Amino acid sequence: MMGMLRRLGESIRASQLWRSVFRQGIPRDRRSRVLAVMGNVFLHLHPPELRRSGVRLSFTWCLGGLTFFLFLVEAVTGILLMFYYRPVAEYAYHDMVGLRGHVSFGLLREIHRWGAHLMVITCWLHLLRVFLTGSYRPPREFNWVVGVCLLVLTMLMSFTGYLLPWDQLALWAVTVGTNMAAAAPWLGSEGPGSSLLAVEGIPLVHPGSDVRFALLGGVAVGPAALMRFYVLHCVALPVLAGVLMAVHFWRIRRDGGISGPL
Amino acid sequence: MIAEAWTIDSLREGSNWLAHPARVMTICAIGLVAGLWWYRVWTRPRWAALLLGGLLAVVTLAGLDPVLRDKVCRPDNLAILLLVLLLCFFVWRGLRQAAVNDDRAERGEPPFEAGADDKVLTWPHLVFLELVALVACSAFLVIWSLLVRAPLEPPADLETVLNPAKAPWYFVGLQELLVYFDPWLAGVVLPVVMVVGLSALPYLDRNPRGSGYYTLRERPLAVSVFLAAFILLWMLPILVGTFLRGPNWTLYGPFEPWDPHTESPAELVNLSAMVWGERSEMEAGFGAEAALWRPVVRELPGIVLLGFYFLVMPWVLSRTAWRGLRERMGSVRYLVFSVLLMGMGLVPAKMLLRWLLDVRYIVALTEWSLNI
Ligand code: HEM
């Protein structure tokens, strides 16, 4: 029995099909292990060899990697959610109710929502780790700055997604958040300095022209805001974050891999 | 039985009393200072296990109370609970590893992480670790999703104002700052200071030691300022805003149900009124069209105070306690550093002024909605 299975396995691994995909057998010696990492587009994110301290779980806790993994989880579940969800005030809430009851594998929304929370958490903890190991020191300063941009983007992705269920929780949370924009100095209608921006007594910055209006497409959260947040959430912010992550990962390698004592 | 009920009730009342932002903040600040001072002691596994046991016991005990359980178990709030537990763990591990390294340094040994030539292959070492992390994370996420449904409240309705209306939990900290600051500061300027300050960090921290391994002894200022900001000014306001603020953003103890009641608002006064006296000569007769200089003169006490705080204090420090720091940084870096640090310090400073002296605004240029 075992012999038959082993022979089956061997013949599969010897087939043209298998070898066209994997190119080589299970890497057992040093040379083939290096080749396995270099020859694979995904594994190739890593260098073939790294310092022992950087690989230790208690150094990075894999927190950056998990943040990236959660980003991918959000992308996949997000695309599936887009099959069911319409960002239109009349439909959005009903689509949510439908997702709850009628869609099989009804965990989609849960995984997407809790995954988003988890991503914010791992991102913050990753920041804490990078700080505590002093890993922002030269030559990694710029990658830290890229990380700060990723932090802001992560929170904005989460925030724009918060509106989409179009329920009371979403509406008022986003109202609270975007009201702050109206208080921006000079640019918000309720902020300091905006009253000084007037031409012959006619204010330039008013509720119909300030940054909150630009964000919401109106003076309050409404259908236009739903559409804007949807586009930001599903397209603009993730694309931007994806590009910055590519830069982040590229720089880790250019900066000499995971930091360690000199 | 009666005695038991009495103890539990007084425990509840005691916690409700303790749960004022001023007291919570003070306790946590003292805890942080003590934790950083004695980090080599309490991070030892035995002590840490004791502390962890204590923390879990408190969480479990508190969770027995239906009122508090209801607040914590609101779906999105579970994320905060998770964050708090993970944060305790990682701060402990970070300081523990720092303690180990600092002990080694005192014995003249290199840090635990040392050994630049000590290389391992990505396959299988790292790939295997990543696989385990990924599977564990997925399993955790799926179990969480199976156990807790994503919340869905009644449909959005602009006519029915939700009370309390809270921002998503990761922004609740900023919302909590609205108690102390006008929105242009709490929602715009302070977050910008935070993001700019974080980005500037690698360019300001010129300490050559302590890069690439956990340590506290070799960078005490950086680590303590960062942890203070991270825990006291970032995490704590989130907890206060989420668990202690009820309808109308009124303060409720953790064991008090959120039945809407109106708290008699504290009498807040502006700094200028404290100096000149309420409704003084200075105050009378200022309309919107008042001459430019008059509100400025009225608010002079606050302006002078802020000027002292932002300009004179860093200057004095650079000549005294922080002389070495300034010399290491250079003038430009020191200037940026002090502006950012003082900007951050404005948050606890304003909180203290509020709690101790009921100050509403330090500078109240209400005419131009420029209140600080
Ligand atoms: C979406 C958010 C982010 C993702 C996906 C991400 C991903 C990663 C990954 C995979 C690593 C490799 C080491 C590790 O896993 O710890 C890493 C390292 C690093 N990250 Fe991030 N990161 C993010 C956010 C941040 C933030 C917020 C910061 C800091 C403000 C930051 C700064 C750094 C730095 C400086 C390194 C190099 C660390 C070293 O060499 O030890 N990253 N990041």
Side-chain angles (χ1 to χ4, degrees):
Chain A
M1 185 63 195
M2 285 311 287
M4 236 168 76
L5 276 182
R6 174 139 24 89
R7 248 174 298 135
L8 183 67
E10 269 164 20
S11 66
I12 289 179
R13 278 199 294 276
S15 67
Q16 186 188 2
L17 184 63
W18 178 276
R19 281 193 299 162
S20 72
V21 179
F22 294 106
R23 294 179 52 179
Q24 52 183 357
I26 293 173
R28 292 188 202 280
D29 54 41
R30 186 185 160 81
R31 194 185 114 82
S32 56
R33 283 177 171 173
V34 170
L35 283 178
V37 172
M38 306 235 292
N40 180 300
V41 63
F42 303 110
L43 293 181
H44 170 247
L45 263 179
H46 310 103
E49 218 186 25
L50 355 82
R51 47 190 312 151
R52 185 178 291 279
S53 70
V55 179
R56 238 176 236 128
L57 179 64
S58 61
F59 190 71
T60 64
W61 296 103
C62 266
L63 283 167
L66 285 179
T67 314
F68 179 54
F69 172 62
L70 286 165
F71 178 72
L72 296 180
V73 169
E74 293 304 287
V76 172
T77 51
I79 287 172
L80 293 176
L81 283 170
M82 284 168 83
F83 291 159
Y84 298 103
Y85 173 84
R86 289 161 292 177
V88 179
E90 287 83 15
Y91 302 135
Y93 185 78
H94 293 288
D95 291 346
M96 281 292 140
V97 177
L99 266 166
R100 258 201 159 179
H102 314 319
V103 179
S104 28
F105 301 115
L107 284 187
L108 263 188
R109 219 194 124 209
E110 275 70 25
I111 294 186
H112 195 72
R113 192 179 184 104
W114 304 143
H117 287 342
L118 211 52
M119 183 176 167
V120 172
I121 294 177
T122 53
C123 185
W124 289 4
L125 294 174
H126 172 58
L127 181 148
L128 180 70
R129 185 293 281 182
V130 172
F131 179 85
L132 286 181
T133 55
S135 303
Y136 54 83
R137 298 280 180 68
R140 298 185 177 78
E141 310 103 305
F142 180 68
N143 215 14
W144 169 272
V145 178
V146 173
V148 174
C149 298
L150 280 170
L151 171 83
V152 174
L153 279 175
T154 304
M155 290 169 72
L156 286 182
M157 284 193 281
S158 229
F159 180 66
T160 47
Y162 215 83
L163 180 65
L164 303 184
W166 204 239
D167 62 351
Q168 281 288 73
L169 198 64
L171 176 73
W172 292 103
V174 170
T175 302
V176 169
T178 48
N179 273 346
M180 305 246 189
W186 307 104
L187 301 176
S189 54
E190 288 150 28
S194 61
S195 57
L196 301 180
L197 293 178
V199 179
E200 297 179 353
I202 302 166
L204 290 177
V205 180
H206 53 82
S209 74
D210 65 352
V211 279
R212 181 177 57 184
F213 192 91
L215 211 56
L216 295 180
V219 290
V221 179
L226 184 59
M227 186 48 99
R228 281 180 195 210
F229 273 50
Y230 178 76
V231 173
L232 287 174
H233 182 75
C234 300
V235 185
L237 296 172
V239 167
L240 202 57
V243 170
L244 280 179
M245 280 181 204
V247 176
H248 199 57
F249 301 156
W250 175 253
R251 282 302 296 245
I252 295 173
R253 296 217 31 198
R254 293 296 107 182
D255 295 339
I258 299 299
S259 60
L262 295 176
Chain B
M1 219 32 220
I2 292 174
E4 234 169 74
W6 181 81
T7 11
I8 290 187
D9 275 345
S10 53
L11 261 181
R12 267 203 199 100
E13 263 161 46
S15 327
N16 284 343
W17 177 81
L18 267 183
H20 185 278
R23 292 182 269 269
V24 174
M25 187 83 150
T26 315
I27 293 171
C28 288
I30 293 173
L32 186 69
V33 172
L36 286 173
W37 193 259
W38 284 295
Y39 73 111
R40 296 190 199 198
V41 182
W42 71 265
T43 55
R44 288 198 193 119
R46 210 168 291 168
W47 276 96
L50 211 66
L51 287 176
L52 180 74
L55 178 75
L56 288 181
V58 168
V59 168
T60 321
L61 258 182
L64 290 179
D65 182 272
V67 175
L68 182 64
R69 196 173 54 226
D70 178 56
K71 290 180 196 175
V72 177
C73 288
R74 283 167 191 241
D76 284 331
N77 292 356
L78 285 174
I80 307 182
L81 189 65
L82 180 68
L83 173 64
V84 170
L85 294 177
L86 286 176
L87 190 68
C88 290
F89 176 79
F90 283 112
V91 169
W92 165 59
R93 279 308 304 177
L95 288 180
R96 173 72 204 146
Q97 279 162 283
V100 169
N101 277 340
D102 293 347
D103 283 344
R104 292 173 69 104
E106 269 168 18
R107 292 197 301 268
E109 294 169 24
F112 179 69
E113 290 91 345
D117 305 325
D118 193 7
K119 299 263 186 170
V120 294
L121 287 173
T122 299
W123 181 296
H125 293 92
L126 181 59
V127 175
F128 177 70
L129 196 67
E130 283 176 343
L131 185 72
V132 171
L134 199 141
V135 170
C137 178
S138 314
F140 179 79
L141 188 54
V142 169
I143 292 174
W144 186 2
S145 305
L146 280 170
L147 293 181
V148 191
R149 297 239 73 173
L152 193 63
E153 309 251 315
D157 175 11
L158 272 175
E159 309 293 311
T160 323
V161 179
L162 204 63
N163 191 6
K166 293 194 179 181
W169 61 269
Y170 34 85
F171 285 137
V172 164
L174 299 178
Q175 200 181 358
E176 170 67 13
L177 290 188
L178 282 175
V179 173
Y180 307 97
F181 294 99
D182 273 9
W184 70 277
L185 276 170
V188 185
V189 174
L190 290 173
V192 166
V193 167
M194 189 190 91
V195 169
V196 171
L198 266 181
S199 310
L201 187 77
Y203 305 95
L204 298 177
D205 178 4
R206 303 286 288 167
N207 181 351
R209 294 188 306 165
S211 29
Y213 53 95
Y214 290 94
T215 173
L216 177 59
R217 199 179 74 123
E218 305 194 347
R219 40 200 287 255
L221 179 70
V223 173
S224 14
V225 169
F226 182 85
L227 280 184
F230 197 80
I231 295 174
L232 299 181
L233 301 184
W234 194 350
M235 298 298 146
L236 214 54
I238 292 182
L239 293 179
V240 170
T242 309
F243 296 118
L244 302 184
R245 298 286 180 185
N248 307 323
W249 215 252
T250 320
L251 204 62
Y252 288 80
F255 301 110
E256 269 180 276
W258 284 353
D259 44 358
H261 66 237
T262 40
E263 192 186 34
S264 52
E267 293 283 321
L268 299 180
V269 280
N270 293 337
L271 197 73
S272 50
M274 286 169 75
V275 173
W276 307 123
E278 202 76 59
R279 298 230 49 83
S280 64
E281 287 292 292
M282 299 296 300
E283 195 91 64
F286 285 148
E289 65 276 23
L292 192 66
W293 56 270
R294 296 182 75 181
V296 174
V297 171
R298 183 193 64 213
E299 295 306 325
L300 219 47
I303 296 172
V304 169
L305 189 69
L306 282 184
F308 177 80
Y309 175 78
F310 272 102
L311 301 174
V312 182
M313 236 163 74
W315 183 79
V316 171
L317 277 172
S318 77
R319 308 262 131 186
T320 53
W322 282 355
R323 185 181 208 118
L325 191 71
R326 199 205 71 92
E327 274 161 14
R328 199 165 59 213
M329 282 183 150
S331 309
V332 177
R333 284 202 181 85
Y334 183 80
L335 189 74
V336 176
F337 167 72
S338 59
V339 168
L340 289 169
L341 189 74
M342 290 311 189
M344 187 178 97
L346 199 59
V347 175
K350 181 79 189 279
M351 287 176 170
L352 279 177
L353 283 179
R354 176 67 58 84
W355 297 331
L356 297 177
L357 300 174
D358 290 321
V359 171
R360 184 195 302 277
Y361 294 125
I362 301 172
V363 171
L365 292 169
T366 318
E367 291 82 352
W368 310 317
S369 4
L370 189 84
N371 305 313
I372 298 173

